Amino acid sequence: MVAATAAIGAWGAPNDDGNYDYFFLEAMIQREKGNSDAAFDLLRHCLSLNPDAPEAYFYLAQYHLAMKDKEKSLQCFEKAAALCPDNSTYLETLAQAYVTNGKTKEAVAVLEKLTATNTDRPDVLEMLMQLYQQEGDYDNTIKTLDRLELLEGKNERISYAKSQIYTMKGDKQAAIAEMKELADQYPNDLNYRGMYGDALLMNGKEDEALGIYRTILAEEPHNNRAQMSMRAYYKQKQDTLRADSMTMRLLLNKNTEDDTRIYIMRQEIGESENAGGDSTKITRMFEAVMESPEASADMAILYATYMNLKKMPREGVEKVLTRVLDMEPDNAAARLQLVAYAWQRDDLDRVISLCKAARQYNPDEMAFYYYEGMAHFRKDDGDSALDAFQNGISVINDKSDPDIVSDFYAAMGDLLYEKGRKAEAYAAYDSCLQWKDDNLGCLNNYAYYLSIGGDSLDKAERMSHQTVKAEPKNATYLDTYAWILFMQERYAEAKIYIDQAVQNDSDHSAVILEHAGDIHAKAGSTDTAVELWRQAAAKDPENKLLARKIRQRKYIKE
């Protein structure tokens, strides 16, 4: 604001028109540059030069609004409109400001003034109509709709709105007459005739309405609008048999939009759950649709979701999801669900098959590369696993799931280390931890491999300690941490953690028992060490180094 104030001080006296034009132009330049403070000061100075400048008030109002000063903003909008009453922008903005401030009557007055000089503005009439309706002024709402009709001609939207207002007003006769007039004007349009039937039904003329619906269906059996109306009527009357019959006709109707079909099924599911949740009827409806030409992938997804909700057998859900892929091979959600099911039942070949197909249909979906790689990994096919992971890396972006990306790199690190490519493995682990610095599996493996090579033991100790802190009863993590302390020759501390590892190791791992013996031997507990080595040897009788340790009763470095 300093620059703006300095500029103001350098110019002349109030009411100098030349100065006003200069400062207003400069205010607009600062506004375009995004310098709000400078523009605000310049506009206020403009008003000191010319207190009757509507454009200065108009722009100042916007800055007051940005500063949350609604009262000053409204005052400025009012002043601009008062100074320039023929400016439609000022009037329209003032009306919107009144609406925002809850001053509906004032907004209506401004809009009426605006429409008096702008007779071809349907958008303004729409706003005026909504305000009248909001105020419960049905007579003026109808009058405004009549004015809209003069501009747009008689159409479904306006006639329906007028009929609705007449109904709200309690004028049933006028509500019916409005829709009849539309239907009579377009006698060949059965949808308008159906809307006339709806108006009759809504206003208590049930027999006449049903007569119209039946006439429509006799002329056009697949008219889904008439079917929808009759279904609603039967449901209202709790005539379940006829309502269900009409529901099935709609679901199997070739003219029913798929979104409508989905809406109907969701409605039926909701009603079924509210009534106790009997799935028999809903399942029958789904099956009928899925066996018809009107079956769609969206309907199949809804069916699978419902089956999961009702805890139906997984085999049935898989059949439905497979049907989804038949119709939409690129449906990633269905494919991922099938992959998850195959993974859970350990069908690794099925996982691989589904994921490989996804490379054609969903090449940018990283999860498929992950599952394919992990399936190969579990099948001990390291080369194929590494290929899948490396292909998956190419689709990683800033929107990727950090958990999956992290696991990606962690698995790659394990594979690369197994192949003796230590530097690449460590680089993969580093990438993993960049995406998720608390990936415990990666931290443990990384730390352990560093300790085996005697590399960066301090770094390994920090990473391993993080895993033990997160899961203090995890035998694997405790073993790794104890071993790193052992490698650092911190034998007393190592003994504490390896004893906890043995205590928490439900599998009685030979590796953990051997490590425990090694640590106890270095800590001076030779008898305990020999006993632990013997337990390890019982688990791993082919381990010749263990046998030597037991015979010589001392730790022997491998």
Side-chain angles (χ1 to χ4, degrees):
M1 280 197 250
V2 175
T5 306
I8 290 168
W11 286 81
N15 299 317
D16 185 323
D17 288 340
N19 287 347
Y20 172 85
D21 291 341
Y22 170 81
F23 281 112
F24 183 76
L25 179 59
E26 183 62 25
M28 294 301 98
I29 291 172
Q30 296 302 320
R31 175 185 170 86
E32 284 298 314
K33 290 181 177 179
N35 298 330
S36 300
D37 288 348
F40 182 75
D41 279 352
L42 286 162
L43 287 168
R44 287 198 301 177
H45 183 62
C46 284
L47 288 177
S48 72
L49 296 173
N50 182 1
D52 294 326
E55 63 277 2
Y57 284 109
F58 181 75
Y59 286 108
L60 265 178
Q62 296 172 40
Y63 286 115
H64 283 303
L65 188 61
M67 292 186 288
K68 311 295 183 186
D69 192 339
K70 290 184 179 180
E71 186 176 346
K72 282 189 178 178
S73 174
L74 187 58
Q75 288 172 358
C76 285
F77 280 133
E78 288 174 330
K79 188 72 173 176
L83 288 167
C84 195
D86 295 329
N87 187 305
S88 60
T89 300
Y90 295 170
L91 290 173
E92 190 172 350
T93 308
L94 176 59
Q96 291 170 345
Y98 278 138
V99 170
T100 302
N101 286 274
K103 298 188 174 186
T104 306
K105 290 181 179 178
E106 289 85 346
V108 165
V110 172
L111 289 172
E112 285 288 10
K113 183 177 181 180
L114 182 59
T115 57
T117 55
N118 293 265
T119 57
D120 59 346
R121 290 283 304 273
D123 57 323
V124 177
L125 288 172
E126 287 277 3
M127 187 176 178
L128 189 57
M129 180 267 294
Q130 291 170 11
L131 292 176
Y132 277 133
Q133 187 173 350
Q134 183 179 314
E135 288 290 291
D137 187 344
Y138 297 136
D139 289 337
N140 275 315
T141 304
I142 294 291
K143 288 178 182 177
T144 308
L145 284 166
D146 286 338
R147 292 158 70 185
L148 261 175
E149 198 169 59
L150 285 173
L151 282 179
E152 298 182 3
K154 196 163 194 65
N155 60 55
E156 174 183 336
R157 183 179 66 86
I158 295 175
S159 292
Y160 182 75
K162 285 167 70 175
S163 181
Q164 290 286 97
I165 298 299
Y166 279 128
T167 299
M168 293 166 67
K169 186 182 174 184
D171 192 343
K172 296 181 178 181
Q173 187 174 349
I176 293 169
E178 184 63 39
M179 298 314 298
K180 184 178 186 304
E181 185 180 343
L182 179 68
D184 288 345
Q185 186 169 336
Y186 302 98
N188 296 322
D189 193 320
L190 296 181
N191 283 330
Y192 289 158
R193 205 183 307 175
M195 291 177 69
Y196 172 41
D198 292 345
L200 287 165
L201 188 63
M202 190 182 299
N203 288 280
K205 304 285 187 178
E206 293 179 1
D207 292 340
E208 292 178 52
L210 288 175
I212 287 176
Y213 298 147
R214 287 175 181 138
T215 300
I216 292 171
L217 291 175
E219 188 173 338
E220 190 179 281
H222 296 294
N223 187 292
N224 59 344
R225 185 186 186 93
Q227 289 177 351
M228 285 286 283
S229 295
M230 291 191 75
R231 174 176 177 267
Y233 170 75
Y234 289 136
K235 280 187 174 290
Q236 183 182 342
K237 292 296 181 182
Q238 298 183 341
D239 189 339
T240 305
L241 190 63
R242 286 191 174 91
D244 288 349
S245 173
M246 199 56 66
T247 297
M248 288 309 305
R249 287 180 67 178
L250 277 162
L251 290 173
L252 301 177
N253 187 341
K254 64 181 181 180
N255 293 332
T256 302
E257 296 285 342
D258 197 50
D259 286 349
T260 303
R261 199 175 282 112
I262 296 291
Y263 168 77
I264 291 170
M265 280 307 308
R266 289 186 184 278
Q267 189 180 45
E268 291 293 328
I269 290 169
E271 290 176 3
S272 173
E273 291 301 300
N274 290 335
D278 182 5
S279 63
T280 307
K281 172 182 168 183
I282 301 300
T283 301
R284 189 168 60 248
M285 288 180 173
F286 271 122
E287 289 292 342
V289 176
M290 294 308 299
E291 291 172 9
S292 76
E294 314 314 322
S296 70
D298 286 343
M299 182 62 75
I301 288 286
L302 181 60
Y303 189 14
T305 303
Y306 178 72
M307 294 174 84
N308 281 324
L309 171 71
K310 303 305 289 184
K311 295 180 170 55
M312 294 182 182
R314 186 172 293 172
E315 294 78 7
V317 181
E318 287 198 56
K319 286 181 181 178
V320 174
L321 291 172
T322 301
R323 182 80 187 276
V324 173
L325 290 189
D326 290 341
M327 292 184 281
E328 281 186 4
D330 61 344
N331 192 305
R335 190 177 294 275
L336 277 171
Q337 187 65 64
L338 285 168
V339 167
Y341 285 152
W343 184 268
Q344 288 165 17
R345 66 171 183 271
D346 209 30
D347 187 348
L348 300 179
D349 289 333
R350 174 69 168 155
V351 171
I352 292 168
S353 173
L354 286 163
C355 291
K356 278 190 173 179
R359 293 197 188 190
Q360 177 182 352
Y361 298 109
N362 311 102
D364 296 329
E365 182 55 63
M366 189 178 54
F368 293 119
Y369 298 96
Y370 173 74
Y371 278 110
E372 183 187 347
M374 291 304 295
H376 283 303
F377 182 73
R378 286 177 57 184
K379 291 187 72 175
D380 295 324
D381 185 352
D383 290 336
S384 297
L386 198 54
D387 176 74
F389 287 130
Q390 287 173 332
N391 277 286
I393 285 174
S394 66
V395 302
I396 292 173
N397 56 51
D398 58 358
K399 294 181 181 178
S400 298
D401 185 333
D403 290 337
I404 295 180
V405 176
S406 177
D407 286 345
F408 241 86
Y409 281 114
M412 280 186 63
D414 294 343
L415 286 164
L416 289 164
Y417 191 88
E418 283 182 8
K419 290 180 174 295
R421 295 156 64 178
K422 191 164 70 170
E424 291 175 77
Y426 291 170
Y429 288 142
D430 286 332
S431 294
C432 164
L433 296 175
Q434 283 179 359
W435 280 87
K436 192 171 188 286
D437 60 8
D438 62 348
N439 187 312
L440 299 182
C442 174
L443 287 166
N444 177 76
N445 291 357
Y446 196 1
Y448 185 67
Y449 292 144
L450 285 173
S451 72
I452 288 175
D455 303 325
S456 306
L457 288 177
D458 289 342
K459 177 180 179 180
E461 190 271 335
R462 287 194 301 272
M463 289 192 296
S464 184
H465 183 262
Q466 191 175 338
T467 69
V468 171
K469 187 176 179 181
E471 294 187 16
K473 293 187 177 181
N474 186 305
T476 300
Y477 297 167
L478 289 164
D479 172 58
T480 299
Y481 189 56
W483 189 250
I484 293 169
L485 294 173
F486 173 83
M487 294 293 292
Q488 292 177 317
E489 300 182 1
R490 295 160 62 182
Y491 302 126
E493 293 175 76
K495 184 166 153 307
I496 294 170
Y497 285 97
I498 199 64
D499 286 347
Q500 292 179 38
V502 172
Q503 181 182 348
N504 286 282
D505 181 21
S506 58
D507 296 330
H508 306 292
S509 161
V511 172
I512 293 179
L513 289 168
E514 183 176 2
H515 283 170
D518 295 346
I519 291 169
H520 274 272
K522 281 292 188 179
S525 304
T526 304
D527 290 341
T528 303
V530 171
E531 176 56 31
L532 287 163
W533 286 331
R534 283 176 177 156
Q535 292 177 35
K539 294 277 184 178
D540 185 12
E542 301 298 320
N543 191 324
K544 294 180 180 179
L545 183 61
L546 262 175
R548 288 176 59 200
K549 291 175 183 177
I550 293 168
R551 280 197 312 271
Q552 297 181 29
R553 295 176 60 82
K554 68 176 184 178
Y555 167 70
I556 301 171
K557 189 173 182 180
E558 188 171 357

